[in-house]
Amino acid sequence: MPQGEAKLKARKSILLMVLCAAAVIPCIPILLWSFSQQWRYPELLPVWSLRAWQSIFSPHSQVLPAAWNSLGLAIATSLLSQAAAYPAARALGLYVKAWSKPLRLLMIGPLLIPGISIAIGVHMLFLRIGLADLWIGVVLAHLITAIPYAIYLLYGFYATYDSGYETQLRLLGASRWQTFLMAELPLLRPALSLSVLFSFLISWSQYLFTVFIGGGHLVTLPMLLFSTVSSGDYALTSALSLLLVAPALVIVILTALSVNRDRYHGKEAKRVTPVI
C-alpha cells in the first residue's frame, strides 16, 4: 500500500474514532442515571436500581404504545417524503435550469419559518378540514419539515447525475422501470439512504407538530420524555432518553455501513460478446 494512501486511511480511522467517542461518551452518564436510585455528590457511582427500566417495560406503561406510535409515524413519513421529493428533485436537477434557484429556495421555505408559526397555521387549517387529532393529520404535519430535507438531499445527487446511462439502456430496449432499477437506483442508493434516514429522524424526534396536530390523543416518545423531564425523575428521564436515541443510532450505523459497502468488491465484469 502506498505511503500516502496509508496516511489517509490512518487519518480516516482517527476521525472515525473521534466521532464515535463524541457520540458515545455523552451517553455514559445517561446510562448510569437510568440504572440509579439516587446519585448524590460527591459519590463516584450511583446507588443502583432497575426501577426506571421496570417502569418502562411494565404492562401498564405508556412507553411501548408511544414507541409504536413514533415508529409508525417515522416509517410513514420517511416513505411518503421520498415519494414526494423524488420527482421534484429529479426535475430540479435534470430539467429545470432557468428557475432552479428560486424554486429550490421556495421548496425549503418551511425550514426558514419558525416552527411554532407553521404549527399554529396548520392546526387551524386541519381543524377546518377535519384532519386535527388524527394519525394521518400528524403524518401530513411531519411531512412539512421532512420533504424539504429530502428534496435537497436528492437534488444534490441529480445535479451531477449523468442521464446518458438511462439513454443507453433505453436504446437497448429497456423499459422505464428496468432503466430505473439497473441504472438510476444503484447510483441513487447512497443519497436515497441518507434522505430516508433524515426523514425518519425528523419524524422520530418531532414534538411540536405532534402536540399541536395530535391534540394529546396521539402520544409519542418525545411527548412522554418532555412530560417526564418536568417531573424531575432523572432515572426515568435517562431511560426514556436512551430509548429515544437508540433506534436513531442503530439506523445511522446501518446506513453508514450500507453506503460504504462496495457492492462490486471481488466481482469481475462479465465478458460481453460483440454483436458485430
Side-chain angles (χ1 to χ4, degrees):
M1 179 182 296
Q3 189 175 2
E5 188 176 345
K7 286 183 178 178
L8 181 62
K9 190 174 181 181
R11 289 174 184 172
K12 286 183 177 178
S13 300
I14 293 172
L15 179 61
L16 182 61
M17 286 190 290
V18 171
L19 291 176
C20 289
V24 171
I25 289 175
C27 295
I28 294 175
I30 300 176
L31 180 64
L32 295 178
W33 264 114
S34 70
F35 288 99
S36 69
Q37 178 66 35
Q38 61 180 8
W39 194 358
R40 294 177 180 171
Y41 181 82
E43 296 172 350
L44 186 60
L45 292 175
V47 178
W48 303 109
S49 171
L50 293 175
R51 179 187 60 83
W53 292 104
Q54 288 172 343
S55 174
I56 284 180
F57 292 107
S58 112
H60 306 291
S61 171
Q62 289 185 314
V63 175
L64 291 182
W68 282 115
N69 287 336
S70 294
L71 185 64
L73 288 170
I75 291 175
T77 302
S78 59
L79 294 179
L80 291 175
S81 61
Q82 305 316 305
Y86 169 75
R90 182 179 169 88
L92 284 173
L94 295 181
Y95 307 117
V96 180
K97 301 298 180 184
W99 294 90
S100 178
K101 286 185 179 179
L103 286 175
R104 276 185 283 144
L105 184 62
L106 183 65
M107 288 187 177
I108 65 170
L111 303 180
L112 306 177
I113 301 173
I116 185 70
S117 304
I118 298 177
I120 293 173
V122 171
H123 187 217
M124 293 176 65
L125 174 65
F126 281 9
L127 282 174
R128 291 185 179 180
I129 61 178
L131 285 176
D133 302 342
L134 297 179
W135 185 85
I136 186 64
V138 178
V139 172
L140 292 175
H142 286 195
L143 287 174
I144 293 173
T145 51
I147 288 177
Y149 281 108
I151 289 177
Y152 225 76
L153 285 170
L154 296 182
Y155 166 77
F157 165 76
Y158 284 109
T160 57
Y161 176 61
D162 184 3
S163 59
Y165 299 115
E166 298 180 16
T167 306
Q168 294 284 343
L169 283 175
R170 296 302 295 270
L171 288 174
L172 292 173
S175 64
R176 179 69 187 91
W177 178 244
Q178 289 173 323
T179 304
F180 174 77
L181 290 180
M182 298 172 68
E184 187 176 354
L185 185 59
L187 298 173
L188 177 64
R189 198 166 65 95
L192 186 61
S193 300
L194 288 176
S195 180
V196 170
L197 169 66
F198 265 78
S199 303
F200 183 92
L201 294 181
I202 287 169
S203 176
W204 177 260
S205 59
Q206 186 60 251
Y207 172 76
L208 188 62
F209 285 100
T210 310
V211 170
F212 270 84
I213 309 303
H217 299 286
L218 187 66
V219 179
T220 59
L221 278 181
M223 293 174 64
L224 280 184
L225 180 59
F226 271 78
S227 62
T228 308
V229 167
S230 61
S231 71
D233 189 336
Y234 295 132
L236 192 55
T237 302
S238 301
L240 280 174
S241 300
L242 289 175
L243 204 61
L244 187 65
V245 169
L249 281 179
V250 171
I251 291 173
V252 168
I253 293 171
L254 292 178
T255 305
L257 293 175
S258 173
V259 169
N260 290 328
R261 187 174 55 193
D262 185 0
R263 299 174 64 240
Y264 301 102
H265 179 70
K267 297 181 179 178
E268 295 182 357
K270 294 181 179 178
R271 183 179 296 278
V272 178
T273 304
V275 177
I276 299 175

